[in-house]
């Protein structure tokens, strides 16, 4: 992994139970940060947090559905209390897919994906931004998708939510820049996780053929970019979106 020193810093990662979020939480912890891991499944989240702590980290589990205002408010209060009012890094990673063609997409499929993927980052950012402003320091990293940049058949809801995350990132970066708070977005390409494990093998092979580096990405590929944006040394970089996709959408 990229070497970054985050000792003494506190981080919050949503969707940290598995996949990319778990990879990010592990990487931030290995860099020295204390990590608040947010997820919805208590048993699985506690297993992931135990794994981070067994490796010498300092992680804590928090149950919260990021699309629910009251839950985000309660959990953010608790995290700020536990972390002495200081949260340096927020990674909005939690996300879901409910793929289908737009002509048969239900209201529920549309609303659920927008709620978790777009409302979630908004609620979480709003919840922690005052504490960051007070300390005049912050690193907010929003996980988008190349689907939000170039679109993807069957993902009208998901692409719209991820394009929204990019617009949200750019605007919030402008609002917070004078407080030494950077806001950036990472647009992963095809990363091997439970989310992509359910895809049709024919589509998976087609996808792989479209990746110039010739392999799928791993959560570590995304975590390395998070480490860069989370570092105090990336203070002149804000409002950016970087595709980590093996060259797929170049
Ligand atoms: P995943 O399904 O393996 O993990 C998603 C995590 O989010 C899980 O821990 C889940 O519990 C959590 N989560 C879901 N809904 C939640 C909610 N309402 N509140 C709190 N937590 C919730 O997915 P992943 O592949 O690790 O994806 C992580 C992020 O990366 C997502 O935002 C996804 O859209 C994005 N992404 C993934 C890929 C990929 O190829 N895997 C590509 C582009 C973008």
């Amino acid at each position: 992994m990229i070497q970054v020193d985050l000792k003494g810093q506190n981080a919050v990662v949503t969707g940290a139970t598995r996949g990319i979020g778990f990879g990010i939480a592990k990487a931030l912890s290995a860099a020295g940060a204390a990590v608040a891991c947010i997820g919805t499944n208590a048993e699985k989240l506690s297993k992931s947090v135990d794994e981070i702590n067994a490796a010498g980290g300092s992680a804590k589990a928090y149950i919260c559905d990021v699309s629910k205002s009251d839950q985000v408010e309660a959990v953010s209060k608790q995290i700020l209390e536990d972390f002495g009012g200081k949260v340096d890094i927020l990674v909005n990673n939690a996300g879901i897919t409910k793929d289908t063609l737009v002509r048969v997409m239900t209201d529920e499929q549309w609303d659920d994906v927008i709620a978790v993927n777009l409302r979630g980052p908004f609620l979480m950012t709003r919840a922690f931004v005052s504490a960051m402003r007070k300390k005049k320091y912050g690193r907010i990293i929003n996980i988008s998708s190349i689907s939000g940049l170039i679109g993807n058949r069957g993902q009208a809801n998901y692409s719209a939510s991820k394009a929204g995350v990019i617009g949200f990132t750019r605007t919030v970066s402008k609002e917070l820049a004078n407080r030494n708070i950077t806001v950036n977005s990472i647009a992963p390409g095809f990363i091997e996780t439970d989310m992509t494990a359910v895809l049709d093998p024919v589509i998976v092979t087609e996808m792989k053929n479209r990746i110039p580096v010739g392999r799928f990405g791993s959560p570590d590929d995304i975590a390395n970019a998070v480490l860069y944006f989370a570092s105090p040394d990336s203070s002149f970089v804000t409002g950016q979106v970087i595709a980590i996709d093996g060259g797929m959408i170049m």
Side-chain angles (χ1 to χ4, degrees), residues 1-247:
M1 301 295 295
I2 286 170
Q3 296 302 304
V4 173
D5 185 3
L6 299 176
K7 272 187 225 82
Q9 298 209 20
N10 300 325
V12 177
V13 181
T14 69
T17 310
R18 65 182 200 186
I20 294 172
F22 184 43
I24 292 169
K26 281 193 285 190
L28 291 171
S29 168
V35 187
C37 295
I38 292 182
T40 48
N41 182 316
E43 205 181 309
K44 287 184 186 161
L45 183 64
S46 130
K47 253 183 91 184
S48 300
V49 163
D50 286 351
E51 195 180 317
I52 293 173
N53 290 332
S58 167
K60 220 172 159 213
Y62 295 88
I63 298 301
C64 168
D65 177 340
V66 297
S67 69
K68 303 275 188 302
S69 201
D70 53 342
Q71 292 188 29
V72 170
E73 206 175 302
V75 90
S76 59
K77 264 193 195 140
Q78 188 60 54
I79 291 171
L80 284 167
E81 205 177 298
D82 294 350
F83 284 20
K86 180 175 170 284
V87 163
D88 307 280
I89 301 158
L90 167 63
V91 185
N92 286 309
N93 162 80
I96 58 168
T97 50
K98 293 202 172 178
D99 295 354
T100 190
L101 296 174
V102 72
R103 67 183 152 81
V104 289
M105 188 173 285
T106 63
D107 292 7
E108 200 184 16
Q109 285 167 329
W110 175 269
D111 291 343
D112 288 354
V113 169
I114 299 290
V116 177
N117 297 8
L118 185 54
R119 191 167 198 260
F122 155 62
L123 294 176
M124 289 295 298
T125 301
R126 188 178 63 182
F128 286 105
V129 92
S130 297
M132 286 182 177
R133 280 174 58 87
K134 244 184 231 159
K135 303 276 177 196
K136 292 200 176 65
Y137 185 84
R139 296 282 181 268
I140 300 173
I141 300 139
N142 298 320
I143 307 301
S144 173
S145 166
I146 57 165
S147 181
L149 288 167
I150 59 163
N152 193 24
R153 201 171 176 274
Q155 292 198 315
N157 49 0
Y158 184 77
S159 301
S161 72
K162 295 300 190 179
V165 164
I166 292 167
F168 176 74
T169 299
R170 292 197 165 126
T171 288
V172 179
S173 75
K174 290 192 161 96
E175 292 184 13
L176 300 176
N178 65 356
R179 291 285 174 146
N180 196 23
I181 301 168
T182 65
V183 190
N184 290 290
S185 182
I186 294 166
F190 193 108
I191 310 299
E192 279 182 312
T193 66
D194 291 312
M195 182 180 269
T196 43
V198 297
L199 294 175
D200 183 329
V202 178
I203 292 175
V204 171
T205 308
E206 245 173 54
M207 289 264 194
K208 198 169 189 175
N209 292 337
R210 286 168 48 203
I211 304 173
V213 304
R215 68 167 176 90
F216 293 130
S218 71
D220 280 355
D221 290 313
I222 306 305
N224 274 317
V226 169
L227 287 174
Y228 171 69
F229 286 130
S231 160
D233 293 331
S234 63
S235 59
F236 203 54
V237 182
T238 194
Q240 298 305 305
V241 49
I242 181 171
I244 307 282
D245 66 346

